[in-house]
Amino acid sequence: MQPTPLHASHDREIESLAEFDEVVSAGGSLVQFRVQAVDLTDRTTQLLSVDTAGAVFLGCLMEPEAAAKVRAAGAMVFPPVPGLPFDPYRGLLYSPDELFDSLDAGYEATPDARAYAWFQQTKADGDIFASMLRSIHDDSVSDALDELLVGARVVGVMGGHAMARGTQAYEGAARLGRELARAGFTVATGGGPGAMEAANLGAYAAPFEDGMLTESLQLLAKAPSFTPSVTDWARAAFGIRERWPSGGPSVGIPTWFYGHEPPNAFAEHIAKYFANATREDGLLARSNAGVVFLPGAAGTVQEIFDNATPNYYESRGEPTPMVLVNRAHWTEKHPTWPLLQSLARERSMESRIALVDRIEDVPEALKRLGG
């Protein structure tokens, strides 16, 4: 018998019951397939009859009879882990509705808050089983994110979480997100509050008339920050989504490492991680059409050089555009631009960096730098 390969292409992954039914009815075989977090308790008949050699079932509910049969046929079965506030084997990214479920009872009741509480407790305990579950979860999220972004032109928008709703800076970041989305880019942010939320909001507003964003900004300003109440802050965002449903898509990539920063509700797809290093590198690496850096503090400065390093060494291939916004901020308050210029000098990344004063200058700068 030939050894079973340890890899499978994305087209051999099953992430929903509909996909399971389609594969079984079309080919009658699950050989080498990977089935992620699908409830198969009502598919015992199919599992008893289908070939499952080399298949892997990750967190799939199934009847004991079916589980025993597929194991005997050469499949690997990783059962669901009870008592977790998240699914480590999930096959799809999160949605705002999923993370903020039960918000009516207060943010502390939501899956997002409960996952953070679990993270804090298990991190303090040093539980190796919990750390393994976090790693499996984050790898599953990365896989789902890669599947989502196939063929997309992704622009990352970086900026601080402290940027309050109702400010000119927040409005500018929202207009930037809208213009990038209208130009055909997929907007990706760190997925949190402040500048990140503003850019995701702008992408959400892209299909609507311009007045929608203006009115949304006015309504959101009534809850300017996620402090002191995440509940009020999130409810204001969901109020916008209810009034203007089916907004434009974008991606948020937040982390439970910064538990005090909740995810924002305007990113349609949320890739939330436990490991901040995986999240940071993943966001920058997937921003294949460039990264925009709005005014921020230590976190944004770190992101600038996290992005500059692979551009400097060309470790990810050809350097991607980097646009810093607000000359005074990046040359005086936090003089990052001179150092970035000195690193880029006489290297291929030199033609891929720009400093602009205004949000309105960003799309043209990305176009110029991207060739």
Side-chain angles (χ1 to χ4, degrees):
M1 183 169 143
Q2 293 295 317
T4 300
L6 294 180
H7 66 278
S9 61
H10 287 316
D11 61 0
R12 299 189 74 80
E13 293 178 5
I14 295 174
E15 296 157 344
S16 70
L17 196 58
E19 287 181 331
F20 177 89
D21 291 340
E22 182 181 355
V23 169
V24 170
S25 62
S29 172
L30 290 174
V31 172
Q32 301 294 334
F33 273 85
R34 279 69 174 117
V35 190
Q36 287 180 260
V38 180
D39 186 346
L40 299 174
T41 50
D42 290 334
R43 295 296 185 272
T44 299
T45 300
Q46 291 87 335
L47 289 170
L48 292 176
S49 60
V50 73
D51 188 355
T52 57
V56 180
F57 294 85
L58 299 167
C60 297
L61 288 168
M62 60 180 79
E63 296 294 342
E65 179 185 10
K69 183 269 176 185
V70 299
R71 283 194 180 99
M76 295 184 68
V77 179
F78 294 81
V81 181
L84 292 178
F86 64 94
D87 183 353
Y89 301 114
R90 62 180 303 112
L92 303 173
L93 297 182
Y94 293 99
S95 69
D97 288 334
E98 181 180 1
L99 287 176
F100 284 100
D101 185 43
S102 302
L103 182 63
D104 288 345
Y107 173 69
E108 294 73 16
T110 66
D112 186 66
R114 290 190 290 111
Y116 175 63
W118 175 90
F119 176 39
Q120 289 295 97
Q121 178 182 345
T122 57
K123 185 174 66 172
D125 293 343
D127 184 351
I128 190 171
F129 180 58
S131 66
M132 182 192 74
L133 292 174
R134 293 196 296 268
S135 296
I136 293 171
H137 169 274
D138 286 1
D139 189 67
S140 298
V141 167
S142 290
D143 181 69
L145 185 58
D146 286 337
E147 292 174 356
L148 174 74
L149 296 178
V150 169
R153 293 188 302 155
V154 182
V155 172
V157 180
M158 311 295 170
H161 68 268
M163 185 183 289
R165 296 167 173 173
T167 62
Q168 288 186 343
Y170 185 96
E171 179 181 350
R175 287 189 284 106
L176 171 63
R178 184 178 64 184
E179 293 312 306
L180 291 173
R182 287 178 174 176
F185 294 110
T186 296
V187 174
T189 78
M196 298 171 279
E197 180 190 56
N200 288 129
L201 167 64
Y204 187 88
F208 300 101
E209 297 291 334
D210 289 356
M212 175 269 183
L213 181 57
T214 301
E215 193 169 351
S216 295
L217 291 168
Q218 293 171 349
L219 293 170
L220 289 171
K222 298 175 182 178
S225 174
F226 63 96
T227 58
S229 172
V230 175
T231 303
D232 292 344
W233 174 83
R235 282 175 176 164
F238 278 99
I240 300 298
R241 289 168 52 92
E242 291 168 9
R243 183 166 179 177
W244 290 281
S246 304
S250 65
V251 178
I253 307 181
T255 174
W256 280 295
F257 182 80
Y258 296 131
H260 63 285
E261 293 184 16
N264 76 73
F266 294 112
E268 179 177 338
H269 308 284
I270 301 177
K272 190 150 192 180
Y273 289 89
F274 288 104
N276 185 52
T278 305
R279 167 250 193 172
E280 290 275 11
D281 184 70
L283 171 54
L284 294 168
R286 291 173 176 85
S287 298
N288 55 16
V291 184
V292 180
F293 298 92
L294 300 173
T300 310
V301 171
Q302 177 182 337
E303 289 163 346
I304 290 173
F305 292 105
D306 281 345
N307 195 52
T309 301
N311 279 347
Y312 180 89
Y313 289 111
E314 299 187 45
S315 55
R316 294 181 185 143
E318 187 177 347
T320 52
M322 298 177 65
V323 181
L324 279 61
V325 181
N326 192 316
R327 186 175 302 273
H329 186 87
W330 295 121
T331 61
E332 298 172 17
K333 185 174 182 179
H334 298 303
T336 303
W337 175 249
L339 178 54
L340 184 62
Q341 276 188 307
S342 68
L343 285 171
R345 191 166 296 121
E346 298 181 358
R347 303 187 74 90
S348 57
M349 69 178 284
E350 186 172 19
S351 63
R352 297 299 178 92
I353 64 173
L355 175 65
V356 300
D357 274 322
R358 305 180 308 135
I359 291 287
E360 291 79 6
D361 298 329
V362 170
E364 178 58 35
L366 284 171
K367 181 179 179 181
R368 182 178 74 253
L369 299 180

